[in-house]
Amino acid sequence: MFGNPTALSTRSDQLTLAGTADASRFRDLLLAEAYEDTWRIVEVFSGSGTPFEIELAWSAGQGVGAKALVSVPQATRIGVYARSLRIRVRNLSEQNNPVGVTVADGQAQTHNQWEVRGEVAPAAPVIVQIPPFARCARVDLADPSLTASTALWLVDGDNILRARVPADVQPHPGVLVGGAREVHVVSTGTTHFRLVFDLTL
């Protein structure tokens, strides 16, 4: 066999995402594969320095592979052991957002997050499924006066409430999700929030 068996069919690409009025769906950014797997460093970035989200799927060997969701403030790196890669992106900015990706062979320790945005109200707690590779979760509120009366509820696969952590006593960097299935954001008032998951990627 000639050439490098771990060489990807495509190592970079770019596209411009429309403003958030048209950001309800992910768009394909990169689809690449190689004959053999190796460690890859995936670097994604915004040309305008504005936030976006990625959905990264990869496989190694003959396996189906894993998938991860990542929030990107401007740029980030993700290290995966992969033979194939699929990257989809969605805008988090009101303006058009040019985004790009480059993939290099190599290994690096990386750290990423996934953010869920929403609004919580007394009669409308928000239920969020825990994303792949999540280690812990933290909630931040637009109205800080509600911090003491807002909590994270962690519910397991048997639909049993296992933990209830008030937002004002969350540890740093957040509440460990362990074997929980979903997180409930519960509050006595109405406010916008963000729920940030720390990822082991």
Side-chain angles (χ1 to χ4, degrees):
M1 177 182 296
F2 296 97
N4 182 356
T6 63
L8 288 169
S9 55
T10 304
R11 286 194 178 270
S12 65
D13 212 334
Q14 59 184 355
L15 61 82
T16 297
L17 299 172
T20 47
D22 185 38
S24 60
R25 63 186 179 89
F26 284 93
R27 294 182 56 193
D28 287 328
L29 176 61
L30 180 78
L31 183 62
E33 60 182 347
Y35 287 108
E36 295 182 7
D37 39 45
T38 191
W39 281 101
R40 318 278 185 184
I41 301 173
V42 179
E43 184 173 286
V44 289
F45 52 90
S46 164
S48 61
T50 51
F52 62 101
E53 298 174 340
I54 73 168
E55 179 189 79
L56 171 64
W58 69 95
S59 65
Q62 303 302 315
V64 175
K67 182 183 292 186
L69 298 167
V70 178
S71 297
V72 183
Q74 292 185 29
T76 195
R77 293 186 179 97
I78 306 168
V80 293
Y81 189 78
R83 178 180 55 84
S84 67
L85 294 166
R86 183 184 184 188
I87 301 171
R88 305 170 71 210
V89 289
R90 180 168 63 183
N91 201 2
L92 291 178
S93 172
E94 62 184 4
Q95 66 189 59
N96 289 351
N97 193 355
V99 300
V101 59
T102 60
V103 183
D105 292 348
Q107 187 174 7
Q109 184 175 7
T110 57
H111 184 86
N112 288 282
Q113 300 173 336
W114 170 249
E115 178 181 290
V116 176
R117 302 172 177 181
E119 184 177 47
V120 64
V126 178
I127 299 174
V128 178
Q129 298 292 315
I130 294 175
F133 300 97
R135 187 179 72 89
C136 58
R138 177 182 177 82
V139 67
D140 296 313
L141 306 177
D143 184 353
S145 69
L146 293 172
T147 303
S149 58
T150 301
L152 291 182
W153 293 11
L154 272 68
V155 178
D156 70 10
D158 295 321
N159 204 34
I160 297 173
L161 175 63
R162 295 292 181 180
R164 186 180 311 192
V165 182
D168 61 342
V169 296
Q170 296 175 98
H172 176 78
V175 181
L176 293 172
V177 297
R181 180 185 66 193
E182 57 194 26
V183 175
H184 298 198
V185 181
V186 182
S187 182
T188 61
T190 300
T191 184
H192 291 285
F193 73 90
R194 66 171 193 164
L195 181 63
V196 182
F197 292 93
D198 185 68
L199 307 178
T200 57
L201 282 175

